[in-house]
Amino acid sequence: DVKVTQSSRYLVKRTGEKVFLECVQDMDHENMFWYRQDPGLGLRLIYFSYDVKMKEKGDIPEGYSVSREKKERFSLILESASTNQTSMYLCASSLNRVGGYTFGSGTRLTVV
Amino acid sequence: DQQVKQNSPSLSVQEGRISILNCDYTNSMFDYFLWYKKYPAEGPTFLISISSIKDKNEDGRFTVFLNKSAKHLSLHIVPSQPGDSAVYFCAALLSGGYNKLIFGAGTRLAVHP
């Protein structure tokens, strides 16, 4: 069974901390994505990557960065966590354009 | 500016009846549409999709209709079951080779006995 695994289900961090969210996929997919889900706003794209060491900004990249050193791993970094980054973070991967996404279970991050 | 809109935040339906979830879009360059289903504390899972060259796609109890002239699509679930209670997201792909999905805000469906 193919999988996208997010390292943490729940995280609580303090304002100003640097936060790493890890995502690993075992499907050899080229494309990986980070979204955040907030009530009434749906899923908004933060960053995505089409290949190793390649990254593109999504719709809301401010305050975030990403790293993709290996094909299977895509990390989201909150450089200095703020309370408005409290959210559900979802990682996804896809093989091709119409193959659809496979999502991880999500990380609920609370910044206090 | 939201390019994919789900204007109904919630929908309540009786078990066995039809559920109709609606989605509108503004960008005529979208050429592929997908529906995802999400349970609490889980990631979204793919449900059904439709290409812009079609107006209907059916998979078991789920049917998606696309009206390109109205820039509107809908998901029909017949018959609705309590296990269908979840948040449903409409998503769209822009033509041009990129597979960056643009999601709507979601509709919470509650199917009650």
Side-chain angles (χ1 to χ4, degrees), chain A residues 9-10 31 33 35 37 40-43 45 48 50 59 88 90 94-98 100-101 103-106, chain B residues 2 31-32 34 36 38 41-46 89 93-106:
Chain A
R9 294 298 299 269
Y10 300 95
N31 311 296
F33 306 83
Y35 285 83
Q37 182 197 355
L41 297 176
L43 277 68
L45 182 62
F48 59 102
Y50 289 137
D59 299 319
M88 167 70 83
L90 292 159
S94 74
L95 178 61
N96 54 38
R97 193 168 177 273
V98 296
Y101 286 12
F103 280 90
S105 297
Chain B
Q2 276 196 309
D31 67 348
Y32 203 76
L34 304 91
Y36 281 80
K38 185 180 185 301
E42 293 183 14
T45 55
F46 170 74
F89 291 100
L93 276 170
L94 282 168
S95 66
Y98 298 104
N99 69 339
K100 184 179 72 171
L101 277 174
I102 300 171
F103 285 85

Side-chain angles (χ1 to χ4, degrees), chain A residues 35 38 40-45 59, chain B residues 1-9 21-36 50 64 66 70-74 88-95 100-107:
Chain A
Y35 285 83
D38 300 288
L41 297 176
L43 277 68
R44 293 180 292 164
L45 182 62
D59 299 319
Chain B
D1 184 30
Q2 276 196 309
Q3 299 184 69
V4 177
K5 301 177 184 179
Q6 294 177 258
N7 292 318
S8 298
L21 295 94
N22 293 304
C23 179
D24 297 294
Y25 61 96
T26 58
N27 194 331
S28 58
M29 298 301 291
F30 288 141
D31 67 348
Y32 203 76
F33 302 89
L34 304 91
W35 284 93
Y36 281 80
I50 188 167
V64 56
L66 175 62
K71 294 191 176 68
H72 177 83
L73 64 155
S74 60
Y88 290 79
F89 291 100
C90 172
L93 276 170
L94 282 168
S95 66
K100 184 179 72 171
L101 277 174
I102 300 171
F103 285 85
T107 296

Side-chain angles (χ1 to χ4, degrees), chain B residues 23-88:
Chain B
C23 179
D24 297 294
Y25 61 96
T26 58
N27 194 331
S28 58
M29 298 301 291
F30 288 141
D31 67 348
Y32 203 76
F33 302 89
L34 304 91
W35 284 93
Y36 281 80
K37 175 179 178 179
K38 185 180 185 301
Y39 293 116
E42 293 183 14
T45 55
F46 170 74
L47 194 57
I48 193 169
S49 62
I50 188 167
S51 165
S52 61
I53 62 173
K54 296 186 175 182
D55 55 17
K56 178 182 175 181
N57 187 27
E58 193 171 353
D59 184 2
R61 296 186 298 114
F62 302 92
T63 303
V64 56
F65 295 92
L66 175 62
N67 182 333
K68 282 182 66 177
S69 61
K71 294 191 176 68
H72 177 83
L73 64 155
S74 60
L75 173 68
H76 292 210
I77 306 174
V78 183
S80 301
Q81 300 173 354
D84 296 330
S85 298
V87 177
Y88 290 79

Side-chain angles (χ1 to χ4, degrees), chain A residues 10-112:
Chain A
Y10 300 95
L11 275 178
V12 180
K13 296 292 182 180
R14 294 193 180 278
T15 301
E17 276 193 76
K18 191 168 185 176
V19 181
F20 294 85
L21 302 183
E22 306 289 344
C23 175
V24 177
Q25 51 101 356
D26 65 359
M27 296 165 284
D28 202 35
H29 285 173
E30 300 286 342
N31 311 296
M32 296 188 75
F33 306 83
W34 275 106
Y35 285 83
R36 62 178 281 178
Q37 182 197 355
D38 300 288
L41 297 176
L43 277 68
R44 293 180 292 164
L45 182 62
I46 304 170
Y47 267 96
F48 59 102
S49 169
Y50 289 137
D51 202 351
V52 176
K53 296 190 185 295
M54 177 274 179
K55 58 187 178 184
E56 292 283 345
K57 291 180 180 179
D59 299 319
I60 51 166
E62 297 77 19
Y64 303 94
S65 63
V66 290
S67 172
R68 192 160 181 208
E69 296 296 319
K70 294 184 177 181
K71 190 175 186 180
E72 67 271 18
R73 186 181 296 271
F74 191 35
S75 302
L76 179 69
I77 303 156
L78 284 66
E79 298 291 342
S80 176
S82 63
T83 55
N84 63 12
Q85 293 178 309
T86 291
S87 186
M88 167 70 83
Y89 289 88
L90 292 159
C91 176
S93 72
S94 74
L95 178 61
N96 54 38
R97 193 168 177 273
V98 296
Y101 286 12
T102 300
F103 280 90
S105 297
T107 296
R108 181 160 296 282
L109 173 68
T110 302
V111 182
V112 297

